């Protein structure tokens, strides 16, 4: 009789254990099904971490839990999500000594914490007491510690049994990948940000250095002082009006600063001649494009198209320019922009043989010569920037101290004329 009773009790206990194990398995499978979408969908990591923690706590039967991210410089655990704790700082952090990092990393699975193991795995120097946690599960990916899941009490203060620990171990393998990927994304974003700051600093250095070069280039004659600086400013402004990227705008500014660098080899007397240059003198002056190309081709710039811009800034759309008599389709956009900026500044600056044109007259002449000599889109970019000066935009004026003797409505009329001329030529139809 007693043997039959014991056998019945044993069978009942076995069925109860199997039922509990099955229920735990179902919770684990359910949690895995929830983790899949959470890991696959792009969302803010704070939301993802809350979903991950909820799935883990459900599968492990925990009332309290926290998901910590690990950083090794310095070694510290910082909470990404917590749930169920009455008093949990946000964020919670736990500094770790090397012995703690080694112990957590070396653990083969979840660890049940008690009074004799707290000091092995956790430090008491953070803003959260290690004693809040009853179970600790390392999150390891590619052999490195990415974080930990720290669970608190279970209903009725029940202990974490093997079935809960097995479920926790299984789920943490997936959670570790999510945490590791987040850390990689953060690292990449940080490095990109650092590189951008470095590039900005580098571009600032180049700007300052090239401004000095531009000033030195123009020193040969008082009538062209500031010419290269203005061409750089005009070219970059046109690029901005055309919607170019900041790096392209920086390249235009630098190309404008350097476009006349070959003039350092031109005889000073040619810059002060009050009349037209004879053919030999013109040839010597024109050679500044090829000389400049030779100079800048030996320098490694952050922007690869500076040499060709220096060489071709006197080329024109109809092939009438120099030194290579290239036509519109053969000219890169940077060349077209710097060429127009150079022409605009030359027209509005005093020369020994003529007085400067007004802004309105210069713009009218440029529109008249387009599209034969200049790219309509580039001329349109210049009109946009001058119009902003005409209406008193709050930005830094394009023309600086130069008087803008043309109204916004007159600029609009020039823009309409430009559009009409450009679309009449089939080569410009879109």
């Amino acid at each position: 009789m007693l043997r039959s009773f014991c056998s019945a009790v044993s069978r009942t206990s076995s069925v109860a254990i199997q039922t509990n194990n099955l229920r735990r398995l179902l919770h684990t499978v359910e949690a895995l099904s929830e983790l899949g979408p959470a890991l696959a969908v792009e969302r803010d990591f704070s939301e993802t971490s809350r979903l991950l923690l909820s799935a883990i706590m459900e599968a492990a039967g925990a009332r309290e839990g926290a998901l910590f991210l690990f950083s090794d410089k310095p070694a510290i655990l910082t909470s990404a999500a917590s749930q169920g704790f009455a008093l949990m700082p946000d964020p919670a952090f736990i500094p770790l000594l090397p012995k703690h990092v080694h112990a957590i990393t070396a653990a083969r699975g979840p660890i049940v914490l008690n009074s004799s193991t707290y000091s092995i795995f956790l430090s008491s120097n953070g803003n959260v007491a290690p004693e809040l946690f009853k179970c600790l599960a390392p999150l390891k990916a590619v052999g490195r510690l990415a974080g930990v899941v720290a669970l608190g009490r279970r209903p009725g203060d029940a202990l974490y049994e093997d079935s809960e620990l097995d479920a926790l171990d299984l789920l943490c393998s997936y959670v570790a990948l999510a945490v590791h990927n987040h850390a990689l994304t953060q690292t990449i974003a940080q490095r990109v940000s650092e590189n951008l700051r470095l590039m900005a600093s580098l571009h600032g250095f180049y700007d300052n250095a090239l401004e000095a070069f531009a000033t030195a280039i123009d020193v040969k004659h008082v009538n062209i002082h500031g010419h290269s600086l203005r061409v750089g400013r005009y070219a970059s402004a046109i690029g901005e009006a055309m919607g170019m990227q900041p790096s392209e705008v920086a390249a235009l500014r630098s190309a404008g600063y350097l476009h006349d660098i070959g003039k350092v080899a031109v005889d000073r007397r040619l810059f002060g001649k009050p009349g037209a240059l004879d053919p030999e003198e013109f040839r010597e002056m024109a050679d500044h494009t090829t000389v400049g190309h030779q100079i800048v081709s030996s320098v490694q710039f952050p922007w690869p198209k500076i040499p060709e811009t220096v060489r071709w800034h006197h080329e024109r759309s109809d092939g009438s320019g120099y030194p290579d008599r290239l036509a519109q389709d053969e000219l890169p956009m940077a060349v077209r922009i710097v060429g127009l900026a150079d022409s605009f500044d030359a027209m509005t600056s005093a020369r020994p043989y003529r007085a400067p044109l007004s802004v309105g007259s210069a713009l009218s002449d440029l529109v008249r010569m387009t599209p034969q000599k200049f790219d309509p889109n580039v001329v349109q970019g210049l009109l946009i920037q001058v119009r902003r000066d005409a209406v008193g935009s709050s930005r830094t004026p394009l023309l600086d101290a130069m008087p803008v003797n043309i109204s916004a409505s007159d600029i609009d009329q020039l823009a309409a004329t430009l559009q009409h001329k450009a679309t009449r030529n089939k080569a410009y139809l879109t």
Side-chain angles (χ1 to χ4, degrees), residues 108 191 252 269 285 292 417:
R108 295 184 177 275
R191 288 179 179 173
L252 286 169
R269 66 180 176 83
M285 182 68 79
T417 301

Side-chain angles (χ1 to χ4, degrees), residues 226-298:
H227 167 68
S228 296
L229 287 173
R230 290 191 297 272
V231 170
R233 187 169 76 246
Y234 296 164
S236 61
I238 293 169
E240 288 178 354
M242 295 175 68
M244 290 187 169
Q245 296 297 316
S247 60
E248 297 175 297
V249 171
L252 286 169
R253 183 167 51 250
S254 299
Y257 288 162
L258 294 175
H259 77 286
D260 270 349
I261 193 170
K263 285 184 176 178
V264 297
V266 176
D267 193 327
R268 179 188 289 267
R269 66 180 176 83
L270 298 182
F271 293 97
K273 186 174 180 179
L277 301 178
D278 64 36
E280 185 61 33
E281 290 170 335
F282 179 81
R283 190 176 303 110
E284 182 181 349
M285 182 68 79
D287 281 346
H288 80 275
T289 57
T290 54
V291 172
H293 180 260
Q294 292 171 2
I295 293 172
V296 297
S297 292
S298 62

Side-chain angles (χ1 to χ4, degrees), residues 94-228:
I94 304 175
L96 299 179
L97 296 174
K99 68 174 186 177
H100 299 136
V101 177
H102 175 74
I104 296 173
T105 305
R108 295 184 177 275
I111 307 145
V112 175
L113 297 174
N114 53 50
S115 57
S116 63
T117 57
Y118 285 126
S119 61
I120 297 175
F121 298 100
L122 297 173
S123 161
S124 300
N125 295 328
N127 63 352
V128 58
E131 290 76 16
L132 285 176
F133 309 122
K134 309 303 178 185
C135 180
L136 195 69
L139 300 175
K140 292 183 285 188
V142 294
R144 303 186 63 180
L145 184 65
V148 300
V149 171
L151 299 180
R153 294 171 298 172
R154 299 186 64 212
D157 288 333
L159 299 177
Y160 288 95
E161 305 290 349
D162 288 345
S163 58
E164 286 84 24
L165 298 180
D166 289 343
L168 185 58
D169 192 26
L170 177 61
L171 293 175
C172 283
S173 299
Y174 293 90
V175 175
L177 290 175
V179 172
H180 176 67
N181 288 339
H182 169 70
L184 285 179
T185 301
Q186 293 294 100
T187 300
I188 291 171
Q190 181 179 0
R191 288 179 179 173
V192 168
S193 178
E194 290 172 354
N195 287 338
L196 288 175
R197 284 196 297 270
L198 180 61
M199 287 177 64
S201 175
L202 180 63
H203 287 175
F205 169 78
Y206 269 101
D207 267 353
N208 293 335
L210 294 182
E211 282 184 16
F213 270 103
T215 303
I217 290 166
D218 296 339
V219 79
K220 279 206 166 187
H221 196 281
V222 67
N223 288 310
I224 63 170
H225 279 182
H227 167 68
S228 296

